[in-house]
Amino acid sequence: MSTKRLLSTADFHAIPPIIRNSLQWAHNSTAQSNTPFLPKGPSVLATNLIKSYSERGLIKEARILFDEMPERDVVAWTAMIAGYTSCNHYSHAWAMFCQMVRNGVEPNAFTLSSALKGCKSMKALSYGALVHGLAIKHGMKESMYVNNALMDMYATCCVSMDEACMVFQEIDVKNAVSWTTLITGYTHRGDGYGGLRVFRQMLLEEAELNPFSFSIAVRACTSIGSYALGKLIHSAVITHGFDTNLPVMNSILDMYCRCGGLSEANQYFHEMNEKDLITWNTLITGYERLDSTESLHIFSQMESEGFSPNCFTFTSVTAACANLAVLNCGQQVHGGIVRRGLDGNLALANAIIDMYAKCGSISDSRKVFSEMTCRDLVSWTTMMIGYGAHGYGKEAVELFDEMIRSGIRPDKIVYMAVLSACSHAGLVDEGLRYFKSMVGDYNITPNQEIYGCVVDLLGRAGRVEEAYELIESMPFKPDESVWGALLGACKAHKLPNLGKLAARRILDLRPNMVGTYVMLSNIYAAEGKWGEYANMRKLMRGMGSKKEAGRSWIEVRDQVYSFVVGDKMGSHIKWVYGVLDLLIWHMKEAGYVPDLDCLIHDQEDAT
DNA sequence: GTAGGGTTAG
């Protein structure tokens, strides 16, 4: 059998029978091209098969067939390039394209748009620009497909939308795809206003509207957080009769989740007459952010309705377990992920690291992190935040250095993670060294949050004066979080005057932050200034708002118990106080002296 | 026989 030359017997039998038969047919037709019934030249059947293989993910088989073709025309080359692109093998697609050009085969509009799609996915602007040059050289500036693909590539690869807009303006008669591509370009880079501006222009020019334009317009509303515009576009969707299109409905559901409220999202969800996995994922994610317990209920409901969870589902479900700090549930979810073979997904692995850290099992976080075959900046950052929260400053610092050695360029967020870890572990000089390196080596301009971290770093260690000097030297006006870090330090190290200054700065910026009054009144109380203390308390009562008491919760034998200061907690309370007494005894033995200054507000808040 | 835009995570 001639096919044996193409594939091993095992591989051959792994191919679905329909393709297997046509493979034999195509192969015979290419091998016996002297048959009078078949035309000479490149096999149309073989080209069809390349496409067919690629669609099924059998890209290796497609390539073997391509290599075996006695003659390859531009269509066969294009099918192979497009095949690699559709299977996410972008560098192979680019290599094919280069080889084709080197072999003297002239690309057509199909080839160039396929090549551009690959450039876009690789974010390879220089390759894309090269294709643009070839498009001009071969006189394909009039092709709508090439122009739209060029716009898409520039919108994805360039720092600004200027290049994409330039291509757009050069298109004489824009079609629906041109408009949608431009709106998507703006929206996907986070510029929802830009996207909506183009959408408005599209309406003014009476361009053809279809479900694609509406789903991206709704997404643009979501990204700017505009519920009013979102509802307006929802009405337009109904007017145009696109309210039964699933992707449009899904984007509307997402809009209600993020800009409306859960009750509205829920109502819309139940009104939807068709649902797919994305619908369920959107709702689960919406609930994860605002009501994690309910998101877990929706997840089991989804499964009972026969939907099989994917990476997106599990990422949200894992995040819900992290929010609730329910280790047992998180472990079960992790088990489900491994069983389905989804543990190789990068974003999902990152979520699992975070979940274990938030559920108190930092060793499991580390285990997942260590076993990852590839890591991104989020992986490293998540692990560092976990270490920092568990008080493992040294480990976080080591991880940061390892990350730099592995060639990953740090960003502001990972610096915040390592600075915060240093702060909590008292590694002041290390932290300051990182702060200097951030500016000096990586040219990262510190923002409010970074200054807040460094103020906290110095402040916690008792270097409060230095922290104040840093605030004074800031090149922009410090916000309440920076002053808040200083206030915390003043309270901890008993510096009432500086503390009062910090508190006043916060109250200038945020007069309604009740917590600041609490801190200020405690400073007065610690100084014995009871008149000032009473004034503060009176002010707070006049504000009508209360500082919400901190709530803690713990999972014991599949049951979650939550409590606030002074909680009676039913019959278990005597056990809790028993353990507390024991802990206090241990702390005193170790030489800790309790800070009684904060007792005043604790008692008042509890009542 | 070969090419296009939209919805869900971090």
PDB file of all heavy atoms in Angstrom, chain A residues 59-75:
ATOM      1  N   ILE A  59      -1.552  18.193  11.775  1.00  0.00           N
ATOM      2  CA  ILE A  59      -0.682  19.047  10.972  1.00  0.00           C
ATOM      3  C   ILE A  59       0.557  18.297  10.465  1.00  0.00           C
ATOM      4  O   ILE A  59       1.041  18.557   9.369  1.00  0.00           O
ATOM      5  CB  ILE A  59      -0.331  20.344  11.757  1.00  0.00           C
ATOM      6  CG1 ILE A  59       0.273  21.396  10.836  1.00  0.00           C
ATOM      7  CG2 ILE A  59       0.585  20.058  12.941  1.00  0.00           C
ATOM      8  CD1 ILE A  59      -0.680  21.956   9.815  1.00  0.00           C
ATOM      9  N   LYS A  60       1.021  17.340  11.261  1.00  0.00           N
ATOM     10  CA  LYS A  60       2.198  16.556  10.830  1.00  0.00           C
ATOM     11  C   LYS A  60       1.863  15.743   9.583  1.00  0.00           C
ATOM     12  O   LYS A  60       2.666  15.682   8.643  1.00  0.00           O
ATOM     13  CB  LYS A  60       2.654  15.616  11.957  1.00  0.00           C
ATOM     14  CG  LYS A  60       3.463  16.330  13.022  1.00  0.00           C
ATOM     15  CD  LYS A  60       4.284  15.342  13.836  1.00  0.00           C
ATOM     16  CE  LYS A  60       5.129  16.069  14.860  1.00  0.00           C
ATOM     17  NZ  LYS A  60       4.697  15.795  16.234  1.00  0.00           N
ATOM     18  N   GLU A  61       0.679  15.152   9.592  1.00  0.00           N
ATOM     19  CA  GLU A  61       0.241  14.358   8.444  1.00  0.00           C
ATOM     20  C   GLU A  61       0.089  15.251   7.220  1.00  0.00           C
ATOM     21  O   GLU A  61       0.459  14.854   6.101  1.00  0.00           O
ATOM     22  CB  GLU A  61      -1.087  13.659   8.760  1.00  0.00           C
ATOM     23  CG  GLU A  61      -0.990  12.494   9.734  1.00  0.00           C
ATOM     24  CD  GLU A  61      -0.813  12.920  11.182  1.00  0.00           C
ATOM     25  OE1 GLU A  61      -0.858  14.134  11.478  1.00  0.00           O
ATOM     26  OE2 GLU A  61      -0.620  12.028  12.035  1.00  0.00           O
ATOM     27  N   ALA A  62      -0.441  16.467   7.454  1.00  0.00           N
ATOM     28  CA  ALA A  62      -0.599  17.411   6.344  1.00  0.00           C
ATOM     29  C   ALA A  62       0.769  17.720   5.734  1.00  0.00           C
ATOM     30  O   ALA A  62       0.924  17.737   4.515  1.00  0.00           O
ATOM     31  CB  ALA A  62      -1.262  18.698   6.839  1.00  0.00           C
ATOM     32  N   ARG A  63       1.766  17.898   6.582  1.00  0.00           N
ATOM     33  CA  ARG A  63       3.098  18.248   6.098  1.00  0.00           C
ATOM     34  C   ARG A  63       3.728  17.088   5.320  1.00  0.00           C
ATOM     35  O   ARG A  63       4.360  17.290   4.283  1.00  0.00           O
ATOM     36  CB  ARG A  63       3.983  18.653   7.284  1.00  0.00           C
ATOM     37  CG  ARG A  63       5.411  19.018   6.898  1.00  0.00           C
ATOM     38  CD  ARG A  63       5.425  20.187   5.897  1.00  0.00           C
ATOM     39  NE  ARG A  63       6.744  20.421   5.348  1.00  0.00           N
ATOM     40  CZ  ARG A  63       7.609  21.322   5.817  1.00  0.00           C
ATOM     41  NH1 ARG A  63       7.271  22.069   6.853  1.00  0.00           N
ATOM     42  NH2 ARG A  63       8.779  21.454   5.263  1.00  0.00           N
ATOM     43  N   ILE A  64       3.519  15.877   5.822  1.00  0.00           N
ATOM     44  CA  ILE A  64       4.069  14.708   5.117  1.00  0.00           C
ATOM     45  C   ILE A  64       3.494  14.648   3.705  1.00  0.00           C
ATOM     46  O   ILE A  64       4.206  14.478   2.726  1.00  0.00           O
ATOM     47  CB  ILE A  64       3.781  13.409   5.911  1.00  0.00           C
ATOM     48  CG1 ILE A  64       4.572  13.411   7.220  1.00  0.00           C
ATOM     49  CG2 ILE A  64       4.121  12.165   5.097  1.00  0.00           C
ATOM     50  CD1 ILE A  64       4.117  12.371   8.234  1.00  0.00           C
ATOM     51  N   LEU A  65       2.171  14.865   3.639  1.00  0.00           N
ATOM     52  CA  LEU A  65       1.499  14.844   2.338  1.00  0.00           C
ATOM     53  C   LEU A  65       2.046  15.940   1.427  1.00  0.00           C
ATOM     54  O   LEU A  65       2.335  15.711   0.252  1.00  0.00           O
ATOM     55  CB  LEU A  65      -0.008  15.025   2.574  1.00  0.00           C
ATOM     56  CG  LEU A  65      -0.926  14.884   1.374  1.00  0.00           C
ATOM     57  CD1 LEU A  65      -0.770  13.523   0.736  1.00  0.00           C
ATOM     58  CD2 LEU A  65      -2.367  15.095   1.795  1.00  0.00           C
ATOM     59  N   PHE A  66       2.206  17.141   2.001  1.00  0.00           N
ATOM     60  CA  PHE A  66       2.733  18.286   1.246  1.00  0.00           C
ATOM     61  C   PHE A  66       4.119  17.955   0.677  1.00  0.00           C
ATOM     62  O   PHE A  66       4.402  18.200  -0.488  1.00  0.00           O
ATOM     63  CB  PHE A  66       2.799  19.502   2.166  1.00  0.00           C
ATOM     64  CG  PHE A  66       3.370  20.738   1.530  1.00  0.00           C
ATOM     65  CD1 PHE A  66       2.576  21.582   0.762  1.00  0.00           C
ATOM     66  CD2 PHE A  66       4.713  21.072   1.706  1.00  0.00           C
ATOM     67  CE1 PHE A  66       3.109  22.729   0.176  1.00  0.00           C
ATOM     68  CE2 PHE A  66       5.240  22.212   1.120  1.00  0.00           C
ATOM     69  CZ  PHE A  66       4.437  23.044   0.361  1.00  0.00           C
ATOM     70  N   ASP A  67       4.980  17.368   1.542  1.00  0.00           N
ATOM     71  CA  ASP A  67       6.340  17.049   1.115  1.00  0.00           C
ATOM     72  C   ASP A  67       6.363  15.986   0.022  1.00  0.00           C
ATOM     73  O   ASP A  67       7.279  15.949  -0.792  1.00  0.00           O
ATOM     74  CB  ASP A  67       7.175  16.585   2.317  1.00  0.00           C
ATOM     75  CG  ASP A  67       7.522  17.747   3.230  1.00  0.00           C
ATOM     76  OD1 ASP A  67       7.445  18.909   2.759  1.00  0.00           O
ATOM     77  OD2 ASP A  67       7.841  17.514   4.412  1.00  0.00           O
ATOM     78  N   GLU A  68       5.334  15.118   0.038  1.00  0.00           N
ATOM     79  CA  GLU A  68       5.281  14.046  -0.955  1.00  0.00           C
ATOM     80  C   GLU A  68       4.712  14.495  -2.295  1.00  0.00           C
ATOM     81  O   GLU A  68       4.788  13.770  -3.279  1.00  0.00           O
ATOM     82  CB  GLU A  68       4.428  12.890  -0.420  1.00  0.00           C
ATOM     83  CG  GLU A  68       5.047  12.192   0.774  1.00  0.00           C
ATOM     84  CD  GLU A  68       5.701  10.871   0.379  1.00  0.00           C
ATOM     85  OE1 GLU A  68       5.266  10.267  -0.609  1.00  0.00           O
ATOM     86  OE2 GLU A  68       6.638  10.477   1.076  1.00  0.00           O
ATOM     87  N   MET A  69       4.110  15.682  -2.318  1.00  0.00           N
ATOM     88  CA  MET A  69       3.505  16.146  -3.586  1.00  0.00           C
ATOM     89  C   MET A  69       4.602  16.371  -4.624  1.00  0.00           C
ATOM     90  O   MET A  69       5.586  17.063  -4.345  1.00  0.00           O
ATOM     91  CB  MET A  69       2.728  17.455  -3.358  1.00  0.00           C
ATOM     92  CG  MET A  69       1.404  17.265  -2.665  1.00  0.00           C
ATOM     93  SD  MET A  69       0.628  18.832  -2.250  1.00  0.00           S
ATOM     94  CE  MET A  69      -0.033  19.308  -3.829  1.00  0.00           C
ATOM     95  N   PRO A  70       4.429  15.801  -5.808  1.00  0.00           N
ATOM     96  CA  PRO A  70       5.464  15.957  -6.832  1.00  0.00           C
ATOM     97  C   PRO A  70       5.583  17.412  -7.307  1.00  0.00           C
ATOM     98  O   PRO A  70       6.659  17.885  -7.627  1.00  0.00           O
ATOM     99  CB  PRO A  70       4.986  15.062  -7.981  1.00  0.00           C
ATOM    100  CG  PRO A  70       3.781  14.348  -7.499  1.00  0.00           C
ATOM    101  CD  PRO A  70       3.280  15.014  -6.285  1.00  0.00           C
ATOM    102  N   GLU A  71       4.456  18.119  -7.331  1.00  0.00           N
ATOM    103  CA  GLU A  71       4.463  19.521  -7.742  1.00  0.00           C
ATOM    104  C   GLU A  71       3.618  20.321  -6.766  1.00  0.00           C
ATOM    105  O   GLU A  71       2.555  19.869  -6.364  1.00  0.00           O
ATOM    106  CB  GLU A  71       3.834  19.664  -9.133  1.00  0.00           C
ATOM    107  CG  GLU A  71       4.793  19.519 -10.280  1.00  0.00           C
ATOM    108  CD  GLU A  71       4.065  19.704 -11.593  1.00  0.00           C
ATOM    109  OE1 GLU A  71       3.600  20.833 -11.867  1.00  0.00           O
ATOM    110  OE2 GLU A  71       3.924  18.695 -12.316  1.00  0.00           O
ATOM    111  N   ARG A  72       4.112  21.514  -6.393  1.00  0.00           N
ATOM    112  CA  ARG A  72       3.319  22.336  -5.458  1.00  0.00           C
ATOM    113  C   ARG A  72       3.101  23.708  -6.074  1.00  0.00           C
ATOM    114  O   ARG A  72       4.057  24.371  -6.444  1.00  0.00           O
ATOM    115  CB  ARG A  72       4.063  22.505  -4.132  1.00  0.00           C
ATOM    116  CG  ARG A  72       4.394  21.209  -3.447  1.00  0.00           C
ATOM    117  CD  ARG A  72       5.300  21.461  -2.273  1.00  0.00           C
ATOM    118  NE  ARG A  72       5.952  20.226  -1.893  1.00  0.00           N
ATOM    119  CZ  ARG A  72       7.187  19.898  -2.242  1.00  0.00           C
ATOM    120  NH1 ARG A  72       7.918  20.741  -2.930  1.00  0.00           N
ATOM    121  NH2 ARG A  72       7.690  18.750  -1.868  1.00  0.00           N
ATOM    122  N   ASP A  73       1.828  24.077  -6.171  1.00  0.00           N
ATOM    123  CA  ASP A  73       1.542  25.423  -6.663  1.00  0.00           C
ATOM    124  C   ASP A  73       1.242  26.354  -5.485  1.00  0.00           C
ATOM    125  O   ASP A  73       1.284  25.932  -4.327  1.00  0.00           O
ATOM    126  CB  ASP A  73       0.388  25.395  -7.686  1.00  0.00           C
ATOM    127  CG  ASP A  73      -0.905  24.898  -7.063  1.00  0.00           C
ATOM    128  OD1 ASP A  73      -0.882  24.528  -5.872  1.00  0.00           O
ATOM    129  OD2 ASP A  73      -1.934  24.887  -7.763  1.00  0.00           O
ATOM    130  N   VAL A  74       0.933  27.591  -5.794  1.00  0.00           N
ATOM    131  CA  VAL A  74       0.701  28.581  -4.738  1.00  0.00           C
ATOM    132  C   VAL A  74      -0.455  28.169  -3.816  1.00  0.00           C
ATOM    133  O   VAL A  74      -0.435  28.433  -2.613  1.00  0.00           O
ATOM    134  CB  VAL A  74       0.500  30.005  -5.343  1.00  0.00           C
ATOM    135  CG1 VAL A  74      -0.733  30.068  -6.234  1.00  0.00           C
ATOM    136  CG2 VAL A  74       0.407  31.038  -4.240  1.00  0.00           C
ATOM    137  N   VAL A  75      -1.449  27.478  -4.390  1.00  0.00           N
ATOM    138  CA  VAL A  75      -2.605  27.062  -3.572  1.00  0.00           C
ATOM    139  C   VAL A  75      -2.178  26.031  -2.523  1.00  0.00           C
ATOM    140  O   VAL A  75      -2.570  26.113  -1.355  1.00  0.00           O
ATOM    141  CB  VAL A  75      -3.736  26.512  -4.471  1.00  0.00           C
ATOM    142  CG1 VAL A  75      -4.959  26.162  -3.634  1.00  0.00           C
ATOM    143  CG2 VAL A  75      -4.117  27.516  -5.531  1.00  0.00           C
TER     144      VAL A  75
END
